[in-house]
């Protein structure tokens, strides 16, 4: 499986890092694009450095490298996630303003009718953000706000991160084994009390 992982400078870069970790473990081919703001957010929000994050991917693509394979639809992929997706990057996707490689790769994913999952992260949302989500959704993107569910009774922050990341990978057709399915109240009771 060949997937593009874009990490933008929204809060929650840990979701993108976790996606890379899971995909590496599964032996998937990952193509990573980090925005400039994502590099800063990795430093601010995590104990990893950028090189460690890049080391989780099969291939790193520079944000300004418009000659990258990912800039062309002829390079086949099985889809792309922007995880997390800032409101700025969302606006670039919605308007078709592909002035960096992440935005171009997202545009290519849409034009080739491949799956594009945007893990949007902001709160509260402006009308501009909401309208950009509608526009991107109409164009074929899946808007997956970084909103964890709690029906799996998470015990740790890692469990919460895995819930959002697992749901994103579900939508890309990845068999990852992280429990993301609600299997009814009896299954929940069997797991024990909250
Ligand atoms: C610590 C930190 C957290 C941020 N969180 C968000 C966020 O959750 N959502 C968002 O849209 N922008 C957020 N931003 C602002 C973006 O990083 C900024 O708009 C940036 O220009 C996005 O650029 P990019 O989309 O190219 O990564 C955050 C910035 C910092 C430094």
């Amino acid at each position: 499986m060949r997937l593009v992982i874009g990490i933008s400078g929204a809060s929650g870069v840990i979701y993108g890092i976790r996606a890379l970790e899971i995909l590496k473990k599964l032996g998937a081919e990952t193509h990573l694009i980090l925005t400039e703001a994502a590099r800063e957010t990795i430093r601010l929000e995590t104990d990893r450095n950028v090189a460690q994050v890049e080391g989780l991917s099969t291939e790193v693509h520079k944000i300004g490298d418009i000659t990258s394979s990912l800039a062309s639809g002829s390079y086949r992929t099985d889809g792309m996630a922007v995880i997390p997706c800032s409101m700025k990057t969302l606006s670039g996707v919605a308007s078709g303003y592909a002035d960096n490689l992440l935005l171009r790769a997202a545009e290519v994913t849409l034009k080739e009718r491949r799956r594009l999952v945007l893990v949007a992260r902001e709160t509260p949302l402006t009308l501009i953000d909401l309208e950009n989500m509608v526009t991107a959704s109409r164009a074929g993107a899946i808007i997956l706000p970084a909103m964890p569910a709690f029906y799996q009774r998470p015990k740790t922050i890692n469990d919460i991160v895995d819930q959002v990341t697992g749901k994103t990978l579900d939508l890309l057709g990845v068999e990852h084994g992280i429990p993301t399915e609600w299997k009814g109240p009896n299954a929940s009771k069997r797991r024990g009390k909250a």
Side-chain angles (χ1 to χ4, degrees):
M1 197 171 203
R2 179 187 282 166
L3 293 170
V4 183
I5 300 293
I7 301 183
S8 73
S11 187
V13 286
I14 191 64
Y15 295 120
I17 295 171
R18 190 70 188 116
L20 289 170
E21 284 175 347
I22 295 164
L23 291 166
K24 185 180 167 94
K25 208 170 161 193
L26 293 171
E29 181 182 325
T30 51
H31 292 258
L32 174 64
I33 313 166
L34 295 172
T35 67
E36 290 301 332
R39 292 170 169 272
E40 196 56 51
T41 315
I42 288 168
R43 282 188 278 268
L44 289 167
E45 289 191 343
T46 78
D47 294 328
R48 327 283 178 103
N49 59 47
V50 169
Q52 287 169 324
V53 175
E54 289 180 337
L56 295 169
S57 70
T58 313
E59 196 174 330
V60 177
H61 299 256
K62 291 200 179 105
I63 190 70
D65 183 12
I66 224 65
T67 67
S68 155
S69 52
L70 303 181
S72 170
S74 62
Y75 190 73
R76 291 196 204 104
T77 74
D78 296 300
M80 174 172 181
V82 185
I83 174 170
C85 181
S86 74
M87 296 303 100
K88 178 199 152 195
T89 287
L90 168 70
S91 79
V93 173
S95 63
Y97 190 70
D99 75 332
N100 67 39
L101 182 63
L102 189 156
L103 289 170
R104 173 60 186 165
E107 179 179 70
V108 164
T109 306
L110 286 180
K111 85 184 174 72
E112 299 296 329
R113 304 291 193 267
R114 298 174 190 146
R115 189 145 282 197
L116 175 66
V117 183
L118 303 178
V119 182
R121 210 324 302 186
E122 187 50 281
T123 193
L125 296 164
T126 67
L127 182 60
I128 296 166
D129 301 331
L130 294 164
E131 288 183 341
N132 283 336
M133 286 183 195
V134 170
T135 303
S137 181
R138 281 203 182 110
I142 295 177
I143 307 296
L144 190 156
M147 285 181 189
F150 289 86
Y151 46 70
Q152 302 288 357
R153 301 194 182 205
K155 305 277 186 296
T156 65
I157 291 174
N158 285 345
D159 291 344
I160 295 170
V161 169
D162 273 8
Q163 208 279 331
V164 171
T165 309
K167 181 79 186 163
T168 305
L169 296 178
D170 283 347
L171 288 164
L172 289 171
V174 177
E175 296 287 340
H176 49 68
I178 294 168
T180 52
E181 279 184 330
W182 167 249
K183 292 182 176 161
N186 293 336
S188 171
K189 271 181 209 149
R190 279 199 298 276
R191 273 199 303 276
K193 294 174 187 164

